Amino acid sequence: MSEPDFLPFTRPSLDEETIAGVVEVLRSGWITTGPWNARFEAALSEYFGGRTVRTFASGTVTMEVALRMLGVGPGDEVITTPMSWVATANVVLAVGARPVFVDIDPVTRNLDSRLVEAAITARTKALLPVHLAGLPCDLDALYAIAQRHGLRVVEDAAQAIGSSWRGRRIGSFGDFASFSFHPNKNATSIEGGCLVLPDDADPALAERLRLQGVRRFGADGMDVDVLGTKANLTDVAARVGWGQLRQVDAFNARRRALAQAYCVALDALGLPARGVRLPVRDFADGNWHMFQIVLPESVARPAVMQGLKERGIGSGVHYPAMHLFTLYRAQGWKPGDFPHAERVGAGTLTLPLFPGMRDTDVGRVADALDAVLRQCGL
Ligand SMILES: *Cc1c(COP(=O)(O)O)cnc(C)c1O
């Protein structure tokens, strides 16, 4: 347990209406996938402009199902970024294909679309871009590349619910889009995820893949013709997600306001001039899933995190460049392969940002960060 005034880097906002709704589901006699899942899927479809949406037990399995629906498997390559939660590349390995990393743009920290075409081979099946921290990737460039080369796109929009690209909501257009409802995300279902399907994808296949591949027909008929997994969303989770979806735009507006206040406070402390990189100031399209600074190489991140902790402030690392994890090094990647991702991975620091934060918390974090960085000689 942390002290009462400890400020974590994130915390879900669950209102009493949602909590009461969960209790009702628990008492209803039907607690796994059922009417609330259907209601959540309908609400998600409405949120994403009427597109077809199916829910899953996690954002990870959601992406895996998208790859399976596209037939991505052994011998295939999927182009993605090394700067993401490791789930992004793990799902490519899980279906037996090979992730092909391209470096990030050091300013946006998203996959650099200018490097994608050079990474395409005859084996490339799909692009798997990630909207890191909810900052949208350059979707004009990526979809143009996909169209030129006949590739499919699975957007890892795990962090991007409510973000837009040039004013159009992520997931409301494009190919596949995969979202996560992990408690740290901008809307949660405790655990869970959803997949927005393009018109040429079969929602019944998505349903079979999430439940053992079972196909039912007639009053008593059943067959299995594809290997599915067990990844359905419970009605308890769906009730939480439904309650969150109603509030996510308000949550995101609050996040944007706090992020704006952070930029003002950190500018006033002269952090950019001291070598600390601030995030891209997208207060129109981004959902501000995280507020991440990048520390200069001269500063030891563990000391900064410890100093913040001593001042009652939580922070996080999202993420180390994933090609440097043992599993990925064992497949041939090494330090120096993606210098921008490695630099960001070594210096990135996530500051507290969540809708329940008070206005005064921003100043508290900024002052603590300033003091800690001064102690570190910055
Ligand atoms: C959270 C996250 C995932 C995985 O979602 P889970 O619901 O935790 O399985 C995948 N990609 C990114 C970028 C994420 O942030």
Side-chain angles (χ1 to χ4, degrees), residues 58-60 63 84-85 87-88 130 156 158-159 180-182 185 191-192 319:
S58 74
T60 304
M63 282 194 290
S84 179
W85 176 228
T88 307
V130 179
D156 181 349
Q159 305 183 355
S180 165
F181 303 122
H182 179 275
K185 305 295 157 71
E191 298 286 355
Y319 303 92

Side-chain angles (χ1 to χ4, degrees), residues 5-235:
D5 66 341
F6 188 85
L7 183 67
F9 76 82
T10 190
R11 187 162 58 205
S13 298
L14 291 164
D15 66 347
E16 290 305 319
E17 193 277 336
T18 301
I19 292 168
V22 166
V23 172
E24 262 179 54
V25 173
L26 288 171
R27 289 192 171 127
S28 71
W30 190 269
I31 58 180
T32 190
T33 313
W36 273 104
N37 188 68
R39 207 165 163 185
F40 187 33
E41 283 182 339
L44 286 163
S45 173
E46 195 184 322
Y47 191 77
F48 295 119
R51 295 185 77 198
T52 303
V53 184
R54 290 295 178 269
T55 58
F56 295 88
S58 74
T60 304
V61 79
T62 301
M63 282 194 290
E64 188 179 325
V65 166
L67 295 178
R68 289 195 192 282
M69 290 182 79
L70 290 173
V72 175
D76 296 331
E77 295 176 351
V78 176
I79 296 175
T80 191
T81 166
M83 176 44 58
S84 179
W85 176 228
V86 69
T88 307
N90 279 356
V91 295
V92 178
L93 294 179
V95 300
R98 181 175 168 77
V100 172
F101 296 117
V102 302
D103 207 353
I104 58 168
D105 175 327
V107 175
T108 65
R109 307 165 195 167
N110 280 328
L111 164 154
D112 188 340
S113 57
R114 294 164 300 188
L115 304 178
V116 169
E117 258 178 322
I120 294 173
T121 72
R123 294 168 180 264
T124 309
K125 271 276 181 70
L127 308 181
L128 182 49
V130 179
H131 306 295
L132 191 72
L135 182 72
C137 292
D138 183 345
L139 291 180
D140 291 346
L142 291 172
Y143 277 106
I145 292 167
Q147 196 156 30
R148 268 202 297 283
H149 296 269
L151 303 176
R152 300 303 297 254
V153 179
V154 177
E155 294 177 42
D156 181 349
Q159 305 183 355
I161 190 159
S163 292
S164 310
W165 169 249
R166 297 194 193 282
R168 297 172 75 196
R169 184 172 286 167
I170 299 288
S172 71
F173 65 97
D175 206 347
F176 288 83
S178 170
F179 294 83
S180 165
F181 303 122
H182 179 275
N184 286 1
K185 305 295 157 71
N186 291 26
T188 184
S189 65
I190 309 175
E191 298 286 355
C194 77
L195 186 62
V196 181
L197 299 169
D199 288 343
D200 67 350
D202 178 11
L205 176 60
E207 290 166 20
R208 296 211 299 287
L209 288 172
R210 78 179 169 192
L211 232 161
Q212 312 294 3
V214 169
R215 182 202 295 271
R216 293 185 187 278
F217 51 87
D220 61 349
M222 177 176 139
D223 188 23
V224 176
D225 57 359
V226 62
L227 178 60
T229 184
K230 179 65 167 71
N232 54 303
L233 190 74
T234 73
D235 261 22

Side-chain angles (χ1 to χ4, degrees), residues 7 254 257-269 271 291 308 311-313 351-353 357-372:
L7 183 67
R254 176 69 184 149
L258 290 164
Q260 223 154 356
Y262 261 130
C263 287
V264 170
L266 300 183
D267 279 348
L269 293 168
L271 286 203
F291 190 95
L308 289 173
R311 288 164 175 80
I313 291 161
L351 301 180
L353 181 62
M357 258 171 74
R358 293 163 298 190
D359 290 335
T360 50
D361 288 330
V362 171
R364 191 179 142 204
V365 175
D367 289 345
L369 183 64
D370 180 49
V372 172

